[in-house]
């Protein structure tokens, strides 16, 4: 599974909803990581906006709880890696980004979702940062990958949260044997067998 938000027709939201406030998740081009093929185009990402996506800002004085979830079905591989790029400034433990894997039958009604917490109350991350989580307990399950933004309405610092390049993969488990033969002072024969 890979989502870079560059093709808006392929964004697989399970649920995108706001419990309260006017700061909401949107997909747009106010911020984002450009892909290597995108030299002359604007990058897009998933981010919080109080202007329906035209800016990457939030109203620090508008109490908000915003959620977006993406359904992920894990196969029978022994291990899975979940990674994404993110940035968020916000404010301490009051305005932050959390990322949680939630059972599909669990309804988020208020506050931080309960489940497997991948990223907890992230804030003060000004530059794009890659988050990586590895687990051997996700085989043959379906989870909702929930991105949660919360701000308490008591002030804070822009910008809010942004997420890009979400990937769910399995680690490479191929093994190979490497041997070196016929070494000289200037060369060697290197052989790889799987």
């Amino acid at each position: 599974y890979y989502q870079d938000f560059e093709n808006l027709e392929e964004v697989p939201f399970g649920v995108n909803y706001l419990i309260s406030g006017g700061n909401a998740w949107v997909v747009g081009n106010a911020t984002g990581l450009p892909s290597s093929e995108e030299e002359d185009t604007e990058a897009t990402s998933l981010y919080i906006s109080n202007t329906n996506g035209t800016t990457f800002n939030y109203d620090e004085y508008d109490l908000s709880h915003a959620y977006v979830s993406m359904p992920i079905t894990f196969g029978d591989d022994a291990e899975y890696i979940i990674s994404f790029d993110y940035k968020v400034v916000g404010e301490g433990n009051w305005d932050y980004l959390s990322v949680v894997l939630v059972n599909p039958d669990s309804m988020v009604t208020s506050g931080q979702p309960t489940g497997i917490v991948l990223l907890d109350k992230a804030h003060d991350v000004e530059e794009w940062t890659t988050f990586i989580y590895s687990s051997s307990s996700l085989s043959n399950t379906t989870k909702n990958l929930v991105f949660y933004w919360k701000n308490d309405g008591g002030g804070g610092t822009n910008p809010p949260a942004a997420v890009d390049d979400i990937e769910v993969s399995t680690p490479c488990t191929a093994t190979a044997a490497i041997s070196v033969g016929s070494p000289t002072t200037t060369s060697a024969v290197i052989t790889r067998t799987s």
Side-chain angles (χ1 to χ4, degrees):
Y1 173 87
Y2 181 74
Q3 181 56 253
D4 63 3
F5 302 102
E6 302 305 320
N7 184 345
L8 300 183
E9 294 175 10
E10 295 180 5
V11 178
F13 292 129
V15 178
N16 182 1
Y17 56 98
L18 201 57
I19 295 294
S20 64
N23 302 308
W25 287 109
V26 296
V27 174
N29 60 12
T31 189
L33 276 170
S35 69
S36 58
E37 298 91 36
E38 278 187 73
E39 295 175 17
D40 296 324
T41 62
E42 296 177 323
T44 57
S45 68
L46 173 69
Y47 55 93
I48 290 293
S49 177
N50 65 332
T51 59
N52 204 27
T54 59
T55 62
F56 175 43
N57 288 309
Y58 75 109
D59 181 346
E60 307 95 319
Y61 298 100
D62 185 4
L63 170 67
S64 297
H65 295 268
Y67 306 83
V68 65
S69 75
M70 299 168 194
I72 307 289
T73 299
F74 298 93
D76 58 3
D77 290 290
E79 185 176 1
Y80 284 90
I81 298 169
I82 300 170
S83 65
F84 54 87
D85 296 308
Y86 76 100
K87 62 181 178 178
V88 55
V89 176
E91 179 192 20
N93 285 323
W94 300 282
D95 302 358
Y96 57 81
L97 167 69
S98 288
V99 182
V100 182
L101 282 174
V102 177
N103 288 329
D105 57 353
S106 297
M107 207 41 207
V108 178
T109 56
S110 66
Q112 180 153 323
T114 56
I116 302 169
V117 178
L118 306 184
L119 184 65
D120 190 27
K121 299 181 182 177
H123 57 86
D124 295 326
V125 181
E126 294 183 25
E127 301 297 324
W128 285 105
T129 301
T130 301
F131 175 85
I132 299 172
Y133 172 81
S134 178
S135 175
S136 58
S137 64
L138 297 171
S139 299
N140 299 309
T141 65
T142 298
K143 301 285 185 188
N144 287 331
L145 180 60
V146 178
F147 293 89
Y148 169 58
W149 165 258
K150 182 245 180 185
N151 66 282
D152 71 342
T157 305
N158 272 297
V163 176
D164 208 350
D165 298 331
I166 302 166
E167 183 173 8
V168 178
S169 61
T170 56
C172 178
T173 58
T175 57
I178 307 290
S179 61
V180 179
S182 307
T184 68
T185 56
T186 58
S187 68
V189 176
I190 299 174
T191 307
R192 176 184 180 267
T193 56
S194 296

